[in-house]
Amino acid sequence: MAYFQSKPTSGRHFLQIPGPSNTPDRVLRAMDYPTMDHRGPDFGKFGKQLLEKLRAVFKTSQPVIVFPASGTGAWEAALANTLSPGDRVLMCETGWFAHLWQELAGRLGLKPELIETDWRRGADVAAIEAALREDKGHGIKAVCVVHNETSTGATSRIAAVRKAIDAAGHPALLLVDTISGLASIDYRHDEWGVDVTIAGSQKGLMLPPGLSFNAISAKALKAAEGARIPRSYWDWRPMLAANAQGFFPSTPATNLLYGLDAAIDMLMEEGLDNVFARHDRFAEATRRAVRAWGLEVQVEVPGEYSSVLTAVRLPEGHSANALRATILEKFNMSLGNGLGRLNDRVFRIGHLGDFGPLQLVGTLGGVEMGLGAAGVPHKPGGVQVAMAYLNGNA
């Protein structure tokens, strides 16, 4: 069944969007196991072990809650469990996903206060601190930051945001979306003083879409006691009560949990630091190829480059969407589109998850051939530049 191809094409499809990422065979095979009784004793043992293993990925000793949902569900759960209608929340619009989170907050009856950026950098830490210092009455109840902005390829310095909150002497909660960052780039829930971490299954965790996560601090749990946004499915309290014995209050996504268990094993066998180094290496090779082509990376601040994806700006007058369509048709490769104000302006190369050097070389080769086929002005040789970097940094 050609379920993702409009016409028969030889060779494997290259899915190089920045998530969902490719699911490894080992994870797919784990998901093939027969579904067990989610109320039986074997599931309780499995669930307790899995929830404990999951904490290591977030680098936390605190609870991690799993919902059958996309990352959007985890956004809502984080806000609904900690805040009340009318609460002010400080949000930094680093790109399209930060914008969507802000819209969701407004629909829940919160009052988002937006710090805008040019979508070419991460969160403005100085502006966050200044806004909190001005809030003498502590009306702002939470600071919401996207760790890895998937629409732009910019990372935000979460440890610096925590320092800014502390320097302002402000009691606001710190809520962080690392949906596309977790298990691909370094993230430290406890050390960085995050109160709620939001994540999803379909990026660095190498699973299909369908699981979302909230890692929660003791401060967040305390805030949940007084939060008044209506919640039922997203309520942490029945989740935590059931999780204590390895169970869930509603039917869990059992086979996705099997896959999650296998994915965590893969990450720990490689070692998280090695996983992060691999992503850093592939990202740098990609940026070198982009510059060799004479094109521009969307992110302007080197210290905020993402190792999950690279967003590439095309010259004025050239369509990124037309380029992506050409690459899909001629070379059977999917690249990420530009979102929001970046629609048709950029294309995005995903280099995350179950991804090795030969896949990267193939991806960059498809882009370089596509640039030529689409008539986009560029210099040849970007793939060779990337290969030279990979050979020198094994």
Side-chain angles (χ1 to χ4, degrees):
M1 180 176 67
Y3 49 87
F4 52 72
Q5 294 169 300
S6 57
K7 62 181 182 180
T9 307
S10 61
R12 68 179 288 274
H13 178 69
F14 266 55
L15 180 67
Q16 300 313 140
I17 61 176
S21 63
N22 294 287
T23 305
D25 286 346
R26 180 172 167 184
V27 172
L28 291 172
R29 297 296 77 77
M31 291 168 57
D32 275 346
Y33 295 161
T35 304
M36 72 168 78
D37 175 10
H38 63 281
R39 300 289 182 233
D42 288 342
F43 188 92
K45 295 175 185 176
F46 167 72
K48 286 188 75 172
Q49 292 171 356
L50 177 59
L51 291 169
E52 183 61 34
K53 288 164 66 171
L54 188 56
R55 295 182 185 187
V57 181
F58 287 83
K59 297 188 177 178
T60 182
S61 60
Q62 306 298 317
V64 179
I65 291 175
V66 184
F67 291 104
S70 70
T72 305
W75 275 349
E76 181 163 341
L79 296 172
N81 279 280
T82 57
L83 300 167
S84 299
D87 280 350
R88 295 162 59 197
V89 290
L90 186 64
M91 310 184 89
C92 195
E93 192 187 53
T94 50
W96 181 244
F97 290 98
H99 170 78
L100 291 179
W101 196 11
Q102 172 248 331
E103 286 190 338
L104 187 151
R107 289 194 293 270
L108 290 176
L110 300 169
K111 295 182 177 179
E113 299 182 6
L114 200 60
I115 296 174
E116 296 183 355
T117 76
D118 58 5
W119 289 29
R120 303 199 70 175
R121 57 165 301 175
D124 188 336
V125 176
I128 291 172
E129 182 174 344
L132 294 176
R133 288 186 181 277
E134 290 177 8
D135 180 33
K136 304 297 185 183
H138 296 164
I140 294 171
K141 300 303 180 184
V143 176
C144 299
V145 179
V146 175
H147 174 225
N148 188 81
E149 178 53 71
T150 324
S151 66
T152 66
T155 58
S156 292
R157 297 168 292 142
I158 303 305
V161 174
R162 165 47 66 192
K163 289 180 181 178
I165 296 171
D166 293 345
H170 203 286
L173 295 164
L174 175 57
L175 278 54
V176 177
D177 163 356
T178 189
I179 292 170
S180 62
L182 187 75
S184 294
I185 55 179
D186 193 17
Y187 188 82
R188 310 179 186 194
H189 176 87
D190 285 359
E191 183 179 329
W192 292 347
V194 181
D195 292 301
V196 186
T197 294
I198 294 131
S201 60
Q202 72 275 20
K203 308 282 188 173
L205 288 174
M206 306 177 290
L207 288 162
L211 295 180
S212 66
F213 309 91
N214 280 172
I216 51 182
S217 72
K219 183 178 176 181
L221 282 172
K222 181 67 176 176
E225 295 175 6
R228 297 192 310 278
I229 292 177
R231 59 196 190 273
S232 175
Y233 180 80
W234 304 118
D235 197 336
W236 289 343
R237 292 166 293 186
M239 272 288 201
L240 290 169
N243 285 175
Q245 300 303 319
F247 296 104
F248 293 81
S250 56
T251 305
T254 305
N255 290 63
L256 281 173
L257 295 176
Y258 294 163
L260 176 62
D261 187 61
I264 294 173
D265 285 347
M266 291 178 67
L267 291 167
M268 295 307 169
E269 287 164 11
E270 183 176 356
L272 285 178
D273 288 344
N274 294 326
V275 171
F276 304 151
R278 171 166 56 83
H279 283 74
D280 292 345
R281 180 171 169 250
F282 293 158
E284 177 60 26
T286 301
R287 291 190 294 267
R288 291 184 181 218
V290 170
R291 295 190 181 102
W293 292 326
L295 301 179
E296 188 180 0
V297 174
Q298 170 67 15
V299 177
E300 291 185 315
V301 182
E304 296 176 348
Y305 289 148
S306 171
S307 292
V308 173
L309 74 142
T310 300
V312 185
R313 295 173 67 90
L314 286 194
E316 292 290 342
H318 292 273
S319 166
N321 290 341
L323 171 66
R324 290 174 50 253
T326 296
I327 291 172
L328 178 60
E329 179 183 3
K330 291 185 176 295
F331 308 115
N332 196 19
M333 180 166 72
S334 295
L335 298 170
N337 62 307
L339 297 168
R341 70 175 73 166
L342 298 180
N343 178 43
D344 208 28
R345 188 74 184 86
V346 307
F347 67 93
R348 296 174 296 145
I349 303 170
H351 33 72
L352 71 157
D354 184 37
F355 194 67
L358 295 185
Q359 290 163 286
L360 178 61
V361 171
T363 299
L364 297 177
V367 173
E368 186 159 334
M369 290 189 292
L371 291 169
V376 176
H378 70 287
K379 301 172 185 177
V383 179
Q384 284 74 20
V385 169
M387 289 170 58
Y389 175 77
L390 293 173
N391 283 333
N393 292 273

